[in-house]
Amino acid sequence: MSIFDRLLTPLAVGQTVLPNRMVMGAMHTRLETLDRPHARLAAFYAARAAGEIGLILSGGFSPNAEGVMEAGGPLFDRAEQLDEHRAVTRAVHAAGGKIVLQILHAGRYAKVPECVAPSAIKARINAWTPRALSLDDIGRTIADFAHTAALAVEAGYDGVEIMGSEGYLINEFAAAATNHRDDAYGGSFDARIRFALDVVRAVRERLGAAPMLIYRISSIDLVEGGLSGAEIATFAQRVEAAGADLINTGVGWHESAVPTIAASVPRAAWREAIRNVKRAVSIPVMASNRINMPEVAEELIASGVADCVSMARPLLADPEFAKKTRLGLADEINTCIGCNQACLDRIFTERTATCLVNPRAGREIEFPEGRARVAKRVAVVGGGPAGMAFAVNAAERGHAVTLYEAAPRLGGQLNMAKVVPGKAEFNETLRYFTARLAKLGVDVRLGEAVSAAALADAGYDEIVLATGVTPRVPDIAGVDHPKVVSYVDVLTGKVDVGARVAIIGAGGMGFDVAEYLLGDGRESLDPEAFFRAWGVDIANAGAGTGGLTKVKNATNATNATNATNATNPAKPRRSVHLLQRKAEAPGKGLGKSTGWILKARLRRANLVTISGAAYDAIDDQGLHYRVDGVAQTLAVDHVVLCAGQNANRVLFDELAARGIHAKLIGGADVAAELDALRAIDQATRLAVEL
């Protein structure tokens, strides 16, 4: 018997039987904005179907123009669009999969001037104020949902999912915070959920009994004025009675000031909110959010939290997640690390989604399949993310690869990243690469600082250098003082810094060091610690609190400048100042979807940030600097240098002197930032081009 026997058990959803309990959750990709959008979407979903995922939920399509996510966003309201959708459904079915279309009306989140909502209340994350829907508008919108559902089934989808979570239109009707109506669709709880139930009934009537009808409910709103746990349970029961075959669970609104899916959230943290829904209904319930490994998914099903699990970003990271689970190859799953850098951060900045650990995601038609025509002997020097990614991808193409790493272990900069609170998931990336290198037979030589002469004598067909970076030392008087250390010294544990610290450089590395020095590593691993820190009542017992222990200023995640929901934060163990030369606010370059989380955590820990600093000297007294010409001194025990990096090209130059051309990847090529996203993408593309 497999250790994942529950996860691999078929599941009946209405009249459809899914082959296993693993579902690819819906996500925005913006692939429709690129060239050959239908071919890209077909290839994207077909790869996941071939990877044996039990069911695919498509990205959200609006039922009318008012509800699109953005101008030109996905809309499915005309028969003329059937063929483009058939390209997707046929590809999925040919690969052995099933797919449903998610119908998503963005409501007041729609970034278009004609956006609508239950009431004319502007969302803090949108520039547009919505128009309140009239009763006639409501009736038309319900009909639009049913029309799109019918089109979906005609296009070959196996059913539809109605998006009623995350603060979109249906969720806005249900919550008192955004529904100030005094007619049949507002006021009491029963009236506020009427719109959702009318949509479900209309869709069920239009579809008939056979196609799957999934409803995504908000299991906990995490905004003031949201539903209580008891109300959500009642809501779920009525959704079942209205005709849903399965209830999927969402978590939080997009404007909530509580993280819900980033790596700083513990795995399966929202289980009790999901269990509340499961206990209320007799139809299957789907768990979601921060489920990235089969062990986590199996336990959720085994413990009765849910009947199946939704994993969106994990299927970006590894389209063969389900297949590897079935074959007992969980150690070879390329795990989603919850970084959001290539998916949500790109979506929120109007770019297409891909994946940091899997650059092929969303770009399937750009990468050749199969083995290279000519197998080569290839040396790659450097076992960081770029070197490992290159070695794995080159070996998969049939090349004979030798990987040299001067350190006694693989990982490079990942070994520093993984010790930062909230970044422990990088351990999974190291596990994946280590397992794949061994499986593919790559000759890994640890603790071997290979020389140019040795590489030349070996006669490799190709030499690829992923030799990384060296920390840049700024030109400051006294920079060689004993109290000055680099970020490498700190994150590798070489130096245990004192109670008073100044960090020079407020880029990503500076913030990581600050979090390492001030953060609580338990918060991203222990749900109870996370809930205490962010002020979450997971039982959601209070009326109108939306699951928050404090509700004042609880709704602005875009620039969440506080941790107002936090309860009794622990006293910071250090006093840390973070300085930068630029006059702008520190942290502008942090991730769109995660930067606010990090800054909120550090404000809670009393981090002091200083912009526009001109550094004068470092001596026994501390760090001397000026802001606007005013001289100041920070009395500190240590000064940590996070002032950038220089590409390490010593070996490249030595090979060039011998007339040997080597290819540079990762930080050895561009050292402006420690950018694993760019490094892995560059390494993967080079490997498939050989």
Side-chain angles (χ1 to χ4, degrees), residues 179-397:
N179 185 343
H180 294 182
R181 305 178 70 94
D182 57 6
D183 57 17
Y185 288 93
S188 69
F189 167 73
D190 289 340
R192 295 197 312 274
I193 67 172
R194 178 180 173 183
F195 178 72
L197 301 180
D198 283 354
V199 168
V200 174
R201 292 188 191 102
V203 170
R204 181 86 279 172
E205 182 179 358
R206 190 69 173 270
L207 294 185
M212 284 180 281
L213 199 170
I214 300 171
Y215 185 88
R216 184 170 171 95
I217 198 169
S218 181
S219 63
I220 185 167
D221 287 330
L222 300 177
V223 293
E224 182 178 358
L227 298 185
S228 68
E231 289 173 325
I232 290 168
T234 299
F235 191 2
Q237 291 170 348
R238 296 187 186 176
V239 167
E240 176 182 9
D245 296 313
L246 181 149
I247 294 181
N248 189 6
T249 53
V251 177
W253 290 30
H254 287 314
E255 57 194 291
S256 170
V258 178
T260 58
I261 60 173
S264 55
V265 181
R267 293 178 176 180
W270 308 105
R271 58 188 299 124
E272 294 309 315
I274 298 164
R275 193 192 300 272
N276 177 55
V277 175
K278 170 65 178 168
R279 286 171 174 162
V281 299
S282 59
I283 56 176
V285 170
M286 187 185 308
S288 69
N289 288 45
R290 287 292 286 133
I291 304 165
N292 65 345
M293 286 297 288
E295 294 87 350
V296 180
E298 175 76 10
E299 194 278 330
L300 285 170
I301 297 172
S303 61
V305 170
D307 302 283
C308 55
V309 294
S310 170
M311 299 173 288
R313 295 170 304 160
L315 270 293
L316 280 177
D318 196 331
E320 295 189 323
F321 187 105
K323 182 177 181 179
K324 290 176 180 177
T325 299
R326 179 180 63 81
L327 294 175
L329 302 175
D331 63 330
E332 293 185 43
I333 291 175
N334 195 1
T335 304
C336 168
I337 59 174
C339 68
N340 292 357
Q341 287 180 241
C343 51
L344 293 183
D345 285 353
R346 290 178 63 88
I347 291 298
F348 292 156
T349 52
E350 300 185 356
R351 295 174 291 169
T352 56
T354 182
C355 179
L356 182 147
V357 299
N358 176 26
R360 288 178 169 83
R363 302 164 174 173
E364 285 76 11
I365 65 175
E366 299 174 20
F367 287 88
E369 295 291 335
R371 299 171 76 83
R373 286 177 295 176
V374 177
K376 296 182 177 182
R377 290 182 62 247
V378 184
V380 56
V381 182
M388 292 188 295
F390 175 85
V392 164
N393 283 278
E396 287 175 342
R397 294 278 283 160

Side-chain angles (χ1 to χ4, degrees), residues 14-71:
Q15 297 184 17
T16 302
V17 177
L18 305 182
N20 59 58
R21 308 296 181 97
M22 293 169 277
V23 177
M24 178 182 178
M27 70 187 92
H28 305 304
T29 63
R30 300 189 84 250
L31 292 180
E32 71 278 356
T33 66
L34 299 179
D35 65 308
R36 296 182 289 168
H38 311 312
R40 289 180 182 276
L41 284 166
F44 174 69
Y45 288 124
R48 278 77 197 161
E52 302 182 9
I53 198 70
L55 176 67
I56 294 170
L57 308 180
S58 81
F61 284 80
S62 177
N64 57 40
E66 300 164 339
V68 295
M69 290 292 296
E70 60 188 358

